[in-house]
Amino acid sequence: MSTNPPKPAHFLAERITADLAAGKNGGQVVTRFPPEPNGYLHIGHSKSICLNFGLAQAFHGRCHLRMDDTNPSAEEVEYVQSIERDVRWLGFDWAGGADGNTPNATYYASDFFQGMYDYAEELIRRGLAYVDSLSRDELRQLRGSFDEPGRESPHRNRGVAENLDLFRRMKAGEFDEGSCVLRARIDMAHPNVLMRDPLLYRIKKAHHHRTGDAWCIYPMYDFAHPLEDAFEGITHSICTLEFESNRELYDWVLDAVPERWNPRPRQYEFARLALGYTVMSKRKLLQLVTGGDVDGWDDPRMPTIAGYARRGVRPEAIRAFADMIGVARNNSLVDIGKLEHCIRADLEPITPRALCVLRPLKLVLTDWPADRAEMLRAPWFPDDPSQGARELPFGRELFIDREDFALEPPPGWHRLAPAHEVRLRHGYVVRCIDVVRDGEGDVTEVHCTHDPQSKGGATADGRKVKGTLHWVSAAHAVPVKVRLYDRLFTVEQPDASDDYRHHLNPESLVEVNAVAEPALGKVDVGTRWQFERLGWFYADPVVGRPDALVFNRVIPLRDSWAKATGAVDAAASRPVRTRVPEVNSERRSEKAAGKTRTDLRAERRAEVPELAKDYERFQRDWGLPEEHADLLTADVELARYFAETVAAGAPAKAAANWAVNELLRAVKERPLAELPLAPTVFSALVVKVDGGELGASAGKQALAHLCTSGGTLDAALRTLGLERPQDGAALDSALDAVIADKAVEVSRYRAGEAKLLGVILGAAMQRTKGAFDGKAVKERLVGKLTG
Ligand code: ATP
Ligand code: MG
């Protein structure tokens, strides 16, 4: 990789540029990627890896790899090794060690346990921490809630000497797990719940993968993380948005200890990646592994880096995907089609083409002599024959794919059927004259004649032949196993609620005994190929052997999962295959075996009359589309929540849209009952957005914030800097800044290049972070540009 790639264009790069310009951190840029070694890395992590390592490269800084191993229970050496392997596979190196420059030296949070402990004692001495002996339940009760301040523990005012003594005894193992904790002494009435005397240490009598039994107290994330960053000299500590409210505590910890840090790390947040048709949490991925739903962490269907590698995806594709999705501050579900596009775009130029028949059906050329084989020359790269060619034997008996023959073809069928003509790739045009069937009426052989003047595909009389099929000579065919991998889940948001394992795609792996052209029989394992008309394939290096090849389908040629109708029911819609209809109908009925979520909801409504009533009412009285009524009556709690939202004033249709597209996503993170978002607040949000007072993207930001932090809508908008100023002064000044910034485009626009409005408007939307309604921004901008 180049050592001087172009600077990425996103808010974090801007931040770093500004810090460097201001001379902060002595001109250093040090980032880190801090996984907890409790599972394999997934595609979400790769976003963070590409971001952190990418920033370090772009700004000539360094990026540490740190195992955030402060929780002994779930961490394992196997995971540490897989993490190192996967980061390297993605194409990144790291440095570390005492001098920060030792190649491939990995940092471990556990190496800092003593330093953290010493600071904890220091906090006690400064009156900033105390040992609390309440039970976990009592602690929770005193914490208060979003609308209610917390209350002080009776142990809050223990003296320094007593606290030190208790803390040392905690460390010495004198107390049982859960009997006491070390807490920061901040403010039990703090508006940020996380600041209400948070826990710093807890007792955990577990064996640690590196420190063994040396410790029985372990630091909490909020205490450990800022210190790890500071000890390592991190300048920019980048994490995902759920940690936004933790930033205040991060800063408190760094300021509370006596050290004057230089550099003083700062935390920045970005949106985590959520990808359609996958689950991403390590906990859920582990369940798939231990539950036997997949064949290990590196199963090619897993969204893990190891899984993609095993499937045959190249790191180039994953990095291109990270670039494509960019980095921003609003959470959204990324269309898996984007990742698939990157995989195809990466493989397309580098894979030689070859012929392989997945489900062989014999084709006999009745006018071809039995003993005659003709060697055709077929280029590996049809667009560039200079890259070489192979010999492709052609003869009387061939195999074609079953799916390419239909006895009763549907309209528009361009493949083979009785009396139809097709071209055989690189070979001749053939016409079907007869079929042989077995006792059940299934076709077992197709008989054809060939046009001797059509070698290479063109007919001598210029008649048009529409279809071209792939094929393999029966006498030369090499048997290979092909694993047809498909998406692991059948719905876009498998963990939207209920049991995500319910949505496992029963056809995510179909293994077939295929036949390949002879040249494919001699390839090395670990190589990638494009099987014509089928997709990209990878000669599996683990189970495949040179004499018994196994090909993994990396990805089919084209997207066969196009969405049904917009994204109305993204959570429940069944994928609609846009393939030409399959001839083979048993496969289709197999597919229908599993029940869909839609079926299950219908069943539940049949059992719970209240739900059935709501389902009717939502459509009849409130005019909701059937799909929305269906989704919102998935359970009683949700239906009630929705009804209360509408009762509080939100227009029903808009509320349903927001509930289905945004709220259900949040409910995926935690159950509705625990969501700190009251229906009245949700209602207020919908009203504001629907009335055009708040832009949709600002609305989403606010909703995400409310779902994690609670509070009122106004408070959320204030915190996020999204308040809508009464007089429009903020919009005006933002637009003025954009006009100054885009002076060149502005003058060209004023000189008549109308299409530049888009560029200027884009900059304006970006600058206003979606705080204003798009239409309002446009109107005012045009006013300013023309007035
Ligand atoms: P999970 O919820 O999957 O267990 P995690 O956040 O607990 O993930 P860590 O090992 O703590 O996993 O994550 C290491 C780093 O990767 C963190 O900085 C985290 O912000 C980042 N990360 C994890 N998941 C994602 C994601 N989906 N998108 C972007 N970054 C992520
Ligand atoms: Mg974690």
Side-chain angles (χ1 to χ4, degrees):
M1 222 170 299
S2 151
T3 51
N4 194 9
K7 305 253 182 297
H10 52 66
F11 72 101
L12 290 167
E14 281 171 19
R15 173 81 259 160
I16 293 178
T17 305
D19 286 350
L20 289 175
K24 283 199 188 151
N25 306 316
Q28 286 192 83
V29 175
V30 187
T31 57
R32 86 285 174 269
F33 172 64
E36 183 183 352
N38 61 350
Y40 277 53
L41 298 181
H42 52 60
I43 183 86
H45 291 115
S46 70
K47 176 175 182 183
S48 174
I49 295 170
C50 292
L51 172 62
N52 280 294
F53 282 91
L55 284 170
Q57 283 176 349
F59 290 96
H60 307 290
R62 51 178 216 270
C63 178
H64 294 178
L65 175 63
R66 176 201 310 152
M67 300 299 156
D68 205 353
D69 56 353
T70 54
N71 177 6
S73 354
E75 295 160 2
E76 284 176 27
V77 178
E78 178 201 345
Y79 296 140
V80 170
Q81 290 166 349
S82 74
I83 289 169
E84 293 183 335
R85 195 167 54 231
D86 291 345
V87 172
R88 208 165 282 133
W89 180 84
L90 268 178
F92 298 106
D93 295 312
W94 58 96
D99 59 356
N101 280 320
T102 312
N104 297 326
T106 301
Y107 287 92
Y108 291 86
S110 54
D111 286 348
F112 301 121
F113 278 167
Q114 185 62 45
M116 293 175 193
Y117 177 84
D118 293 343
Y119 279 133
E121 282 207 352
E122 191 54 38
L123 291 188
I124 294 176
R125 274 184 223 106
R126 297 179 156 212
L128 293 175
Y130 61 99
V131 173
D132 203 335
S133 321
L134 295 181
S135 71
R136 195 200 295 220
D137 277 346
E138 289 167 319
L139 288 173
R140 192 177 310 130
Q141 278 162 20
L142 291 187
R143 216 166 77 123
S145 68
F146 295 95
D147 331 299
E148 191 199 343
R151 280 165 294 142
E152 296 187 356
S153 159
H155 306 125
R156 194 170 197 262
N157 295 315
R158 276 176 170 153
V160 169
E162 186 186 357
N163 277 320
L164 266 184
D165 174 60
L166 287 170
F167 188 46
R168 287 175 185 164
R169 287 164 61 196
M170 272 171 70
K171 173 173 183 271
E174 281 187 37
F175 305 122
D176 289 337
E177 280 188 19
S179 62
C180 47
V181 292
L182 185 73
R183 298 179 76 177
R185 199 162 182 279
I186 305 180
D187 177 1
M188 285 311 289
H190 202 289
N192 181 347
V193 179
L194 293 177
M195 296 293 280
R196 296 181 189 166
D197 292 13
L199 307 198
L200 303 180
Y201 269 89
R202 72 206 143 146
I203 299 172
K204 212 161 201 187
K205 302 199 169 165
H207 190 81
H208 187 278
H209 75 117
R210 278 173 68 86
T211 58
D213 298 315
W215 296 87
C216 65
I217 55 172
Y218 290 91
M220 304 299 290
Y221 173 89
D222 282 319
F223 181 62
H225 206 86
L227 291 176
E228 292 157 23
D229 286 341
F231 286 134
E232 288 180 24
I234 301 299
T235 56
H236 297 80
S237 176
I238 301 170
C239 64
T240 42
L241 274 173
E242 330 71 276
F243 292 97
E244 190 173 11
S245 323
N246 304 59
R247 193 194 321 133
E248 202 169 3
L249 183 49
Y250 182 101
D251 288 330
W252 183 90
V253 169
L254 291 183
D255 295 337
V257 298
E259 190 77 36
R260 288 304 96 208
W261 303 105
N262 183 24
R264 159 71 158 75
R266 299 272 163 203
Q267 176 184 308
Y268 302 93
E269 307 89 22
F270 71 104
R272 72 192 289 116
L273 171 67
L275 190 62
Y277 297 94
T278 51
V279 297
M280 206 92 93
S281 108
K282 281 184 280 189
R283 189 176 54 80
K284 290 181 182 154
L285 295 177
L286 177 64
Q287 283 169 357
L288 295 176
V289 172
T290 53
D293 299 313
V294 295
D295 191 15
W297 284 97
D298 70 341
D299 184 301
R301 292 166 292 177
M302 287 282 271
T304 52
I305 296 179
Y308 289 114
R310 178 75 189 279
R311 184 150 168 173
V313 172
R314 302 198 313 157
E316 286 83 348
I318 307 267
R319 293 198 302 261
F321 174 64
D323 275 349
M324 176 191 266
I325 57 176
V327 177
R329 273 185 58 87
N330 45 329
N331 282 315
S332 65
L333 182 72
V334 172
D335 183 347
I336 196 173
K338 289 188 178 165
L339 174 61
E340 293 173 344
H341 166 84
C342 292
I343 296 172
R344 292 190 181 100
D346 174 54
L347 292 176
E348 166 66 23
I350 61 144
T351 41
R353 312 303 195 257
L355 301 183
C356 179
V357 170
L358 297 182
R359 297 178 178 89
L361 172 66
K362 188 165 275 181
L363 183 154
V364 180
L365 292 178
T366 53
D367 59 350
W368 189 284
D371 55 357
R372 182 175 150 220
E374 181 173 342
M375 285 297 171
L376 306 169
R377 271 190 80 69
W380 286 120
F381 291 88
D383 291 343
D384 181 9
S386 73
Q387 295 200 57
R390 80 282 190 187
E391 301 227 291
L392 193 58
F394 190 87
R396 179 182 167 91
E397 297 203 345
L398 309 171
F399 289 120
I400 60 168
D401 247 310
R402 276 191 177 278
E403 295 187 359
D404 283 335
F405 179 80
L407 216 40
E408 290 160 29
W413 181 256
H414 290 155
R415 299 182 250 172
L416 201 56
H420 274 226
E421 260 191 332
V422 293
R423 186 181 297 110
L424 296 178
R425 180 72 166 144
H426 300 299
Y428 294 85
V429 170
V430 301
R431 175 187 299 274
C432 173
I433 52 163
D434 199 3
V435 297
V436 177
R437 306 206 216 187
D438 63 13
E440 257 128 64
D442 288 337
V443 176
T444 55
E445 253 178 44
V446 178
H447 288 183
C448 295
T449 55
H450 81 291
D451 173 354
Q453 295 192 306
S454 64
K455 183 169 167 182
T459 50
D461 58 4
R463 73 182 186 283
K464 293 230 168 6
V465 177
K466 284 219 170 114
T468 300
L469 305 189
H470 57 280
W471 55 274
V472 166
S473 158
H476 306 84
V478 177
V480 294
K481 269 209 179 353
V482 175
R483 296 181 164 178
L484 300 170
Y485 289 109
D486 205 341
R487 294 175 183 173
L488 187 52
F489 292 97
T490 53
V491 295
E492 189 169 27
Q493 294 186 54
D495 48 4
S497 68
D498 296 335
D499 180 9
Y500 62 95
R501 284 166 77 180
H502 213 91
H503 303 297
L504 282 164
N505 177 5
E507 288 188 65
S508 61
L509 168 57
V510 174
E511 193 170 286
V512 295
N513 292 315
V515 287
E517 64 163 288
L520 268 184
K522 300 191 211 94
V523 307
D524 293 328
V525 297
T527 50
R528 295 173 178 83
W529 304 87
Q530 189 183 127
F531 292 174
E532 294 209 29
R533 299 183 62 233
L534 298 176
W536 284 274
F537 292 79
Y538 179 58
D540 191 290
V542 181
V543 293
R545 292 194 320 263
D547 59 339
L549 288 165
V550 176
F551 287 96
N552 299 334
R553 181 169 69 191
V554 187
I555 193 156
L557 226 41
R558 249 169 254 98
D559 185 8
S560 56
W561 283 74
K563 270 202 205 127
T565 44
V568 189
D569 185 356
S573 72
R574 272 219 224 179
V576 171
R577 308 245 173 175
T578 53
R579 277 179 201 145
V580 188
E582 268 168 32
V583 184
N584 203 338
S585 64
E586 313 104 58
R587 292 214 316 135
R588 247 179 298 159
S589 51
E590 270 168 33
K591 206 179 293 180
K595 279 184 196 164
T596 64
R597 293 244 337 268
T598 315
D599 299 338
L600 289 171
R601 281 193 298 270
E603 279 175 19
R604 199 153 343 148
R605 277 195 300 273
E607 287 159 15
V608 184
E610 185 181 345
L611 285 178
K613 249 197 317 219
D614 279 344
Y615 175 73
E616 294 301 325
R617 179 166 75 106
F618 289 177
Q619 295 178 68
R620 191 190 52 228
D621 299 351
W622 294 348
L624 298 197
E626 196 271 337
E627 305 91 306
H628 284 185
D630 174 34
L631 277 173
L632 293 170
T633 51
D635 60 62
V636 173
E637 202 184 7
L638 177 64
R640 228 175 257 165
Y641 187 100
F642 179 69
E644 281 172 34
T645 304
V646 175
K653 282 188 186 170
N657 252 321
W658 275 76
V660 167
N661 292 313
E662 305 299 328
L663 192 69
L664 288 184
R665 199 174 294 156
V667 172
K668 184 176 91 167
E669 307 277 322
R670 51 170 119 177
L672 194 56
E674 287 173 26
L675 211 63
L677 171 69
T680 47
V681 177
F682 180 54
S683 182
L685 176 74
V686 174
V687 168
K688 252 202 163 65
V689 180
D690 193 57
E693 242 190 283
L694 189 67
S697 108
K700 286 180 199 173
Q701 283 180 54
L703 185 67
H705 180 86
L706 289 165
C707 286
T708 48
S709 310
T712 65
L713 178 60
D714 285 345
L717 294 178
R718 246 190 332 273
T719 311
L720 296 170
L722 296 175
E723 304 157 278
R724 191 179 168 78
Q726 303 305 321
D727 56 3
L731 176 56
D732 275 338
S733 73
L735 290 181
D736 291 341
V738 169
I739 288 171
D741 215 39
K742 295 263 170 240
V744 177
E745 287 83 354
V746 168
S747 65
R748 282 170 54 195
Y749 172 81
R750 285 182 171 146
E753 283 186 64
K755 67 175 192 291
L756 283 173
L757 181 61
V759 176
I760 307 166
L761 183 60
M765 292 308 289
Q766 214 168 18
R767 187 167 198 112
T768 54
K769 295 195 288 183
F772 303 92
D773 180 52
K775 233 169 75 197
V777 175
K778 184 170 174 187
E779 268 166 26
R780 204 159 192 122
L781 178 66
V782 171
K784 278 180 182 287
L785 289 173
T786 53

